[in-house]
């Protein structure tokens, strides 16, 4: 008859603790009016409570710090820190101690141990301590695997490990919107406005230290989240940029193609990479978190084979008086075009000049500037329309309406202003 051998107990004990900052202690105020039965008893007890703030006892404020009572939440972008201690609980000297800490995620296994060398010996009541740090870059289930191997005095090799499972949560909800625009008064076109909506989906306030956009090599970026006040730049969100739980904040950026890309009409067609957002925040007592989004992409608007944009146009013009505009015509196709310009009058806009004139040949990815004169017979905000370009090679006509808008006023009104 076989007798089951008792399971041998290990000589070493392993302890793992997460390192987090303490929190401010808050108490629940209990008070009543003096005419109630307890009288001033509750108020006096709150004043005698050392955890309350003097003069603000009824408020849930505290000046004392309290250590974490549980594992707490870990959010994406934060740094996970843990204290690992191996203690010799026996009365024997243990040799060749090797402590290894790995972090298993859904996609990879990372070694977090500071040293891979074994400790020669560990005397009774002595311990081996280590602190590990890891910037969390994945959400979902994480498993901290701590393994300990050692050799007893009798030469027996021992091994054991422990598993610590925790969830990594998403701290922010980031949504982006793209708005395409054209700079009519600049040689740089294809401006892109990016609106980033950032929502705090944690249960505690955040201090937004930095929200910036790192553009791709094709674009220059200008942040539109500050205003100039008395010569100084001030954030549109104020000096204290706190984001309360479930609150959302919008950030706006303007991207313009660099000159070498803006001059090439075909480069910015189709899907283009805009850049990525870099977000840095702090919580509680200064714990820092950082997130970088993946590369943001947008679908560049299609302009067809021929693109017509305005370079110069006045904001306000006089009624029934000619004014000049400058157009830019770009060949966005891969073939040479022979263009003819036709100008069609509308109910309010009348073109001055010869319609049907030859513009000549326009090679691929090249542009020409065209000065035109027109007048308006109707007051108010009028839309510039009625331009037609015909490619004589393919007998194809391109129509351009609602190119821009101009404010038409009476000449007397303009003189008085």
């Amino acid at each position: 008859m076989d007798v089951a051998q008792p399971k041998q107990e290990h000589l070493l004990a392993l302890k793992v603790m997460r390192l987090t900052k303490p929190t401010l202690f808050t108490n629940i105020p209990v008070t009543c009016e003096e005419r109630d039965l307890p009288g001033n008893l509750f108020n006096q007890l709150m004043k005698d409570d050392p955890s309350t703030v003097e003069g603000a006892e009824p408020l849930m404020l505290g000046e004392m710090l309290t250590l974490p009572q549980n594992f707490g939440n870990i959010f994406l972008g934060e740094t996970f820190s843990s204290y690992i201690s191996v203690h010799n609980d026996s009365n024997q000297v243990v040799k060749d101690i090797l402590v290894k800490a790995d972090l298993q995620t859904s996609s990879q296994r990372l070694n977090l141990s500071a040293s891979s060398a074994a400790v020669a010996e560990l005397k009774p009541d002595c311990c081996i301590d280590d602190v590990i740090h890891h910037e969390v870059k994945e959400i979902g289930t994480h498993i901290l695997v701590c393994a300990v191997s050692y050799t007893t005095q009798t030469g027996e090799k021992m091994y054991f490990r422990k598993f610590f499972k925790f969830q990594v949560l998403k701290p922010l909800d980031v949504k982006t919107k793209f708005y395409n625009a054209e700079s009519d008064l600049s040689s740089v076109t294809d401006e892109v406005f990016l609106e980033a909506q950032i929502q705090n989906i944690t249960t505690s306030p955040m201090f937004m230290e930095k929200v910036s956009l790192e553009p791709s090599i094709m674009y220059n970026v200008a942040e539109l989240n500050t205003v100039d006040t008395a010569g100084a730049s001030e954030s549109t969100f104020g000096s204290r940029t706190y984001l309360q739980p479930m609150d959302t904040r919008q950030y706006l950026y303007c991207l313009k193609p660099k000159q070498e890309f803006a001059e090439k009409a075909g480069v910015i067609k189709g899907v283009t990479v805009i850049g990525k957002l870099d977000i840095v925040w702090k919580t509680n007592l200064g714990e820092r978190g950082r997130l970088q989004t993946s590369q943001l992409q947008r679908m560049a608007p299609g302009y067809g084979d021929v693109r017509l944009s305005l370079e110069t146009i006045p904001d306000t013009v006089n009624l029934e008086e000619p004014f000049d505009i400058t157009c830019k015509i770009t060949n966005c196709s891969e073939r040479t075009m022979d263009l003819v310009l036709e100008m069609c009058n509308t109910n309010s806009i009348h073109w001055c000049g010869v319609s049907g004139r030859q513009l000549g040949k326009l090679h691929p990815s090249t542009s020409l500037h065209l000065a035109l004169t027109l007048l308006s017979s109707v007051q108010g905000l009028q839309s510039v329309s009625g331009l037609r370009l015909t490619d004589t090679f393919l007998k194809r006509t391109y129509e351009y309406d609602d190119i821009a808008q101009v404010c038409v006023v009476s000449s007397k009104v303009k003189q008085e202003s």
Side-chain angles (χ1 to χ4, degrees):
M1 181 177 179
D2 295 333
V3 178
Q5 297 294 328
K7 186 177 181 180
Q8 184 177 359
E9 293 187 0
H10 286 281
L11 305 179
L12 303 181
L14 172 66
K15 293 183 179 181
V16 178
M17 292 174 285
R18 182 192 174 193
L19 297 179
T20 57
K21 295 285 184 68
T23 57
L24 289 171
F25 176 78
T26 58
N27 57 2
I28 300 177
V30 179
T31 183
C32 65
E33 296 182 2
E34 294 184 359
R35 62 183 180 182
D36 291 337
L37 185 61
N40 199 37
L41 176 62
F42 290 155
N43 295 333
Q44 189 61 43
L45 289 175
M46 285 194 299
K47 290 181 180 180
D48 296 338
D49 190 343
S51 65
T52 58
V53 178
E54 184 178 356
E57 291 84 3
L59 303 178
M60 293 182 63
L61 300 176
E63 296 178 323
M64 292 187 174
L65 298 177
T66 177
L67 294 177
Q69 303 298 312
N70 50 43
F71 190 82
N73 294 324
I74 299 179
F75 294 99
L76 184 67
E78 294 182 344
T79 299
F80 168 71
S81 301
S82 184
Y83 168 70
I84 300 176
S85 178
V86 177
H87 187 266
N88 187 354
D89 290 344
S90 68
N91 54 5
Q92 305 177 23
V93 176
V94 180
K95 299 181 179 180
D96 302 329
I97 305 98
L98 180 62
V99 183
K100 186 178 180 182
D102 293 339
L103 185 63
Q104 178 69 54
T105 69
S106 58
S107 62
Q108 58 183 337
R109 189 182 182 102
L110 304 170
N111 181 22
L112 305 183
S113 300
S115 175
S116 58
V119 178
E121 65 177 21
L122 186 64
K123 296 180 180 180
D125 289 331
C126 292
C127 60
I128 301 172
D129 299 324
D130 190 15
V131 176
I132 58 175
H133 303 280
H134 174 68
E135 184 179 349
V136 182
K137 299 181 180 180
E138 296 182 41
I139 60 174
T141 303
H142 287 56
I143 303 176
L144 180 63
V145 183
C146 298
V148 180
S149 62
Y150 61 95
T151 304
T152 63
Q153 284 184 336
T154 60
E156 183 180 3
K157 295 185 178 297
M158 305 294 291
Y159 174 83
F160 69 94
R161 60 181 180 174
K162 289 186 177 181
F163 301 88
F164 304 90
K165 182 186 292 187
F166 59 91
Q167 295 287 333
V168 175
L169 307 176
K170 187 170 70 169
L172 300 171
D173 186 22
V174 182
K175 297 179 181 178
T176 56
K177 294 181 180 179
F178 291 105
Y179 304 93
N180 299 308
E182 295 184 7
S183 290
D184 297 331
L185 303 181
S186 171
S187 60
V188 180
T189 58
D190 298 292
E191 288 183 347
V192 180
F193 289 90
L194 169 64
E195 177 191 350
Q197 298 181 359
I198 300 177
Q199 183 182 25
N200 177 10
I201 56 176
T202 69
T203 57
S204 60
M206 285 184 178
F207 172 76
M208 306 304 293
E209 184 174 297
K210 184 182 75 170
V211 179
S212 62
L213 177 65
E214 298 179 0
S216 64
I217 60 173
M218 294 177 59
Y219 290 92
N220 293 318
V221 63
E223 294 192 11
L224 305 179
N225 306 307
T226 57
V227 292
D228 292 332
T229 304
S233 181
E234 184 179 343
S235 172
T236 55
F237 308 108
S239 58
R240 298 182 179 179
T241 55
Y242 289 100
L243 192 59
Q244 297 295 332
M246 303 312 295
D247 279 1
T248 302
R249 182 174 293 168
Q250 285 109 339
Y251 293 85
L252 187 63
Y253 305 89
C254 177
L255 297 107
K256 297 180 181 179
K258 294 181 180 178
Q259 190 66 31
E260 57 268 28
F261 296 105
E263 294 175 349
K264 299 178 182 179
V267 174
I268 54 177
K269 294 174 67 176
V271 177
T272 57
V273 175
I274 297 297
K276 55 185 178 181
L277 286 170
D278 187 14
I279 307 170
V280 181
W281 71 91
K282 290 182 180 179
T283 58
N284 292 338
L285 295 182
E287 299 98 326
R288 175 173 292 189
R290 180 182 180 184
L291 278 182
Q292 276 193 334
T293 64
S294 56
Q295 290 287 351
L296 304 175
Q297 293 183 338
R298 66 117 188 184
M299 177 65 74
Y303 299 106
D305 294 337
V306 185
R307 178 183 179 186
L308 186 145
S309 59
L310 284 185
E311 295 290 291
T312 59
I313 184 174
D315 295 329
T316 306
V317 298
N318 288 336
L319 180 68
E320 297 180 347
E321 290 186 11
F323 61 94
D324 298 326
I325 64 173
T326 303
C327 298
K328 180 181 179 182
I329 301 174
T330 306
N331 184 355
C332 299
S333 69
E334 299 178 354
R335 56 184 175 82
T336 301
M337 295 183 174
D338 187 17
L339 298 176
V340 175
L341 174 65
E342 295 182 9
M343 300 179 292
C344 304
N345 295 332
T346 65
N347 293 332
S348 59
I349 295 296
H350 304 274
W351 297 92
C352 305
V354 180
S355 179
R357 60 171 163 158
Q358 295 280 343
L359 299 181
K361 293 182 179 180
L362 190 62
H363 297 286
S365 300
T366 59
S367 304
L368 63 87
H369 291 79
L370 191 63
L372 299 175
T373 303
L374 63 159
L375 61 86
S376 176
S377 59
V378 180
Q379 294 187 72
L381 191 64
Q382 302 301 326
S383 179
V384 178
S385 303
L387 290 181
R388 306 289 183 263
L389 289 173
T390 301
D391 181 12
T392 59
F393 287 154
L394 296 182
K395 306 298 182 183
R396 185 178 296 172
T397 300
Y398 305 91
E399 300 180 355
Y400 300 95
D401 295 317
D402 297 324
I403 304 169
Q405 291 181 327
V406 62
C407 182
V408 182
V409 298
S410 173
S411 58
K412 295 181 179 181
V413 175
K414 193 166 186 179
Q415 289 175 1
E416 291 177 358
S417 59

